[in-house]
Structures are given as C-alpha cells and as structure tokens.
Amino acid sequence: MTTKSIKLWLAFGALLSGVATQARPESVAEWNAQSIMARGQGNGLNATGHPSVSYEHGEFQWALRLLYERTGDKQYYDYMQKSVDNLVAPDGTIRNYNLQEYNIDHVRVGPTCLHLYKKTGLKKYKIAADTFRSQLETHPRNSEGQFWHKKIYPHQGWLDGIYMGDIFYADYAKVFQPRNNTAWSDIALQFKLQWEHTLQNATAPNSTQTLYHGYDNSGVAPWASADRGHSLEVWNRAVGWYAMALVDILDIFPKTHPGYAMILAQLRHLIPKLRDSADKKSGVWWLVMSQPGRAGNYFESSGAAMFIYASLKAVRLGHVKDRDGSIVKSMKKAYSYALKNWVFENPDGTMGWNNTVIVGSLVSSGDYPYYIAQPINMNDLKGAAAFVMASVEVEAL
C-alpha cells in the first residue's frame, strides 16, 4: 500500500469503535481475513467440528486466493489448503458429500480444489474436482437446459447458482478441456437463460433494471410470473452473486467463444445499474432493491460488499468503462459507509462484521415479508468474505 493509502485507512479506523491494537494490520482486507481465520471460520468444518461442503467456505477460499496473490503472505494460502484438507481425504474422497442431493451450492468448493491441484500436483485434489464435475454431468435441468438450483427446487434457476456452479464449470473446462466447445456453450447457456428470465423490465415498479432472484420455467412456483416465471423481488445478495460470477468468469472464459461477448455485455449493463440503484444518501443498497424505503427494509452488508468488488474489478480490468469516474466514486462511497456502519473492532483487536442477512430463499412465498423477516447475523461469512474481496479491490485503487 502507498503511504497515502495507509493514512486513509488510519483515518477510517478513527471512525470505528474501540481502541486499535498494535497488531492490527494496516490493510482492512488483511485485518478482516485474519479475523475470520482467528475465529476458525471457513476451515472446512461445521460448528460441531465435522467436515462440511460449504459454499461459504468456497467463497472465503477464493478471497484468500486473491489476498495471497496480492500480498504473497503464505498464511492465507496455508489456511485455504488446510480448509480443503479438512474436507478432502488423502484418497480424494470428499467427506460428507452426497452427489445425489444435486445441490449446486456444493460445487463452489470445486475452484479451490482445482487451484490446489495446479499448485501442488497432488492427485487427491484432482479426484475431488473430478467428483464435483461429475455432479454437473447428471445434475437435473429444466426444459431449456438451466441447472436446477437444487433437486428439491424443481425447474428453478437462481442467480446464486450461477456463482456456485458455473465458475467451477468454466475453470474445470479451462484446465482439462480447453477445446470442449460443448462445455463452453453450455456455460454460456446458463448465463443466457438466467438473464433472459430474470432481468427486470424498465417499466416495472421501482425498476432497478437488475435481476430478480430466480425463475421457475414450469410456472408452478407460487411466486412465478406469468410471462417469464421470474420471482417477485430483487434481492440484493442474489444480484451480488451474479455480479461476481460475471466479472470472475471473464478471467476464465475463452474470448474467441461467442459466449464471452454475451457475458461481457451483461456485465456492462449491470454495473452501471448497480451504481444507479444505490440509495442516494447512504450510498449503499436496500436488502430488497425493488422496494426502496419500504417499512421493514434496511441496508444489507453482504450484497453491498459483492457490488463493490464486482464493480471495481470490472473497471480495473477495463471490462466496464468509467469515463466520468462515477462508478468508482459510488463504490468508494459505499465502502466508506461499510467501514463506518458495519465494521467494528472487538476487544481482542479482531475485526467484526455486521448486518449480513443469514438467508434468502425461494423455497416459500418469495415475497417482500419473507425477505425482511430473515434474521441478520454477526460475522456471517457470506458477507465477511465478500468484504475481504471488496477491500482487496479498494486497496488496489
């Protein structure tokens, strides 16, 4: 970090509660990651100490990869590897994994297995990656070819599932099947169908022109719209998962395939809409973006962190042009709000993270009362891991 950056973080730190300790890193990204690690989160085990196939852990492992690439500090790589080793047995068996559940969330651990195989050459990581890839071979799909989000949610494609499944699908193809045009076209199809069914029309009430949470192409779900089967509301974290998927898959997807241009076009539409849909005063986003200011709605932290990460990365890599600087300015404003309102310092000097909603699902009514009724969680890994990634991008400025 530059001297100017360090002074900036110190200035922000003065706004946080508590007294800073000498051990606290100057980098917010590192402070956050080290605090998550100190709590033992994302370590491949559940609360009872048993191996757990968790998309949250996969998300944090991705954040650790970015941080290790940025800093070269091996503690981040070692924690990531230990997390996978807690889950993957020496023979490559994935402990407590049931392929027949057909849960697309489970596949999110796959990218870390691929990464470790590329780094170490150890066969067990390839076997584990092969196992996750085999799930996609038989994973149920709707009539158009979209992966079901889970076996228990027939015919439904969720924004979440694109991040969980298709980053790994693409990464696996790049490593082992780079000329498999069928796979690349199938991955592109997942983005195409999800977008076409869930993009919010400009004429919709309170339109953000972003994306509804999911869709059911059979029209059976009680929330499915008559036209495209989309759900009722725009839920911020679902949009966040999709935004991160768009910007991350462009690092992997072949530019020569037509799907690359389609995905890039989606990203170029979405990022400015995220800027424009932020609350004008606070700079962040409502939990239910399609109901701004409605009683019970609130500013939620995980979606905000995901938007900051995806937007700044998209601009940094030149995928999205920010000619007037308004996108970066918007994301810096949102980041400042996060530091002032959702970050706090614990008595032991670790960083705490607040205001991440525990869950959002389309398993029930999928309506506004459902979303706002879900509890928020302190130090929820879904939000904290995303804030590591957001902080990496902000610090890269």
Side-chain angles (χ1 to χ4, degrees), residues 15-31:
L15 298 171
L16 306 178
S17 59
V19 179
T21 64
Q22 289 185 345
R24 173 176 153 185
E26 294 168 343
S27 159
V28 175
E30 294 196 70
W31 184 32

Side-chain angles (χ1 to χ4, degrees), residues 44-95:
L45 305 174
N46 62 19
T48 60
H50 295 96
S52 175
V53 186
S54 167
Y55 71 88
E56 298 181 33
H57 294 196
E59 180 196 5
F60 182 51
Q61 290 157 10
W62 188 275
L64 291 176
R65 280 174 59 181
L66 298 180
L67 201 52
Y68 176 60
E69 290 167 3
R70 182 61 54 83
T71 67
D73 191 332
K74 201 166 181 294
Q75 67 173 312
Y76 305 122
Y77 178 90
D78 291 344
Y79 194 91
M80 173 184 62
Q81 184 173 27
K82 180 63 176 176
S83 299
V84 172
D85 288 345
N86 283 335
L87 179 64
V88 176
D91 65 356
T93 301
I94 304 170
R95 301 180 176 103

Side-chain angles (χ1 to χ4, degrees), residues 77-300:
Y77 178 90
D78 291 344
Y79 194 91
M80 173 184 62
Q81 184 173 27
K82 180 63 176 176
S83 299
V84 172
D85 288 345
N86 283 335
L87 179 64
V88 176
D91 65 356
T93 301
I94 304 170
R95 301 180 176 103
N96 294 335
Y97 167 68
N98 180 2
L99 184 151
Q100 297 299 321
E101 287 182 2
Y102 289 116
N103 183 344
I104 203 77
D105 287 343
H106 291 339
V107 180
R108 185 59 213 181
V109 182
T112 316
C113 297
L114 282 172
H115 182 70
L116 290 171
Y117 175 68
K118 288 184 286 185
K119 290 293 185 182
T120 67
L122 291 177
K123 188 177 179 180
K124 69 173 186 174
Y125 298 128
K126 183 180 186 300
I127 293 172
D130 288 344
T131 302
F132 285 126
R133 180 62 181 84
S134 69
Q135 176 181 323
L136 299 181
E137 287 297 314
T138 55
H139 196 98
R141 299 169 180 248
N142 68 25
S143 60
E144 296 173 280
Q146 186 95 60
F147 289 127
W148 294 2
H149 190 66
K150 297 181 184 180
K151 184 179 179 180
I152 59 174
Y153 304 141
H155 313 291
Q156 295 179 24
W158 297 9
L159 301 180
D160 320 33
I162 298 293
Y163 182 78
M164 305 307 167
D166 289 294
I167 299 298
F168 169 71
Y169 193 176
D171 207 8
Y172 189 96
K174 182 178 181 180
V175 175
F176 299 115
Q177 305 168 344
R179 297 183 180 179
N180 186 345
N181 235 19
T182 300
W184 293 120
S185 295
D186 189 28
I187 294 163
L189 178 67
Q190 303 305 308
F191 283 86
K192 178 178 183 290
L193 292 172
Q194 194 71 55
W195 185 268
E196 291 178 347
H197 279 277
T198 63
L199 181 64
Q200 192 179 29
N201 292 329
T203 56
N206 298 320
S207 179
T208 62
Q209 297 183 60
T210 61
L211 303 162
Y212 293 106
H213 189 170
Y215 78 98
D216 174 6
N217 85 325
S218 73
V220 172
W223 42 257
S225 67
D227 58 343
R228 293 173 287 149
H230 65 69
S231 56
L232 299 170
E233 304 290 354
V234 176
W235 178 49
N236 72 329
R237 186 157 72 228
V239 181
W241 292 128
Y242 198 82
M244 293 199 300
L246 287 173
V247 77
D248 286 344
I249 205 165
L250 289 175
D251 294 337
I252 305 167
F253 208 93
K255 293 181 179 180
T256 54
H257 190 283
Y260 183 92
M262 179 199 67
I263 292 169
L264 180 60
Q266 290 186 11
L267 182 69
R268 287 176 172 171
H269 170 92
L270 184 59
I271 296 303
K273 301 306 181 186
L274 295 180
R275 173 199 61 198
D276 297 344
S277 59
D279 174 69
K280 301 306 179 188
K281 183 177 180 180
S282 67
V284 291
W285 296 266
W286 297 95
L287 171 79
V288 182
M289 295 168 62
S290 45
Q291 300 283 351
R294 183 172 171 180
N297 211 352
Y298 59 92
F299 301 135
E300 197 275 339

Side-chain angles (χ1 to χ4, degrees), residues 359-397:
V359 70
S361 174
L362 294 173
V363 67
S364 58
S365 60
D367 58 8
Y368 179 76
Y370 162 78
Y371 286 108
I372 64 169
Q374 305 314 304
I376 61 172
N377 194 20
M378 191 76 70
N379 297 323
D380 190 290
L381 191 56
K382 295 180 288 294
F387 193 61
V388 173
M389 293 187 276
S391 298
V392 167
E393 285 298 329
V394 170
E395 291 169 15
L397 294 173

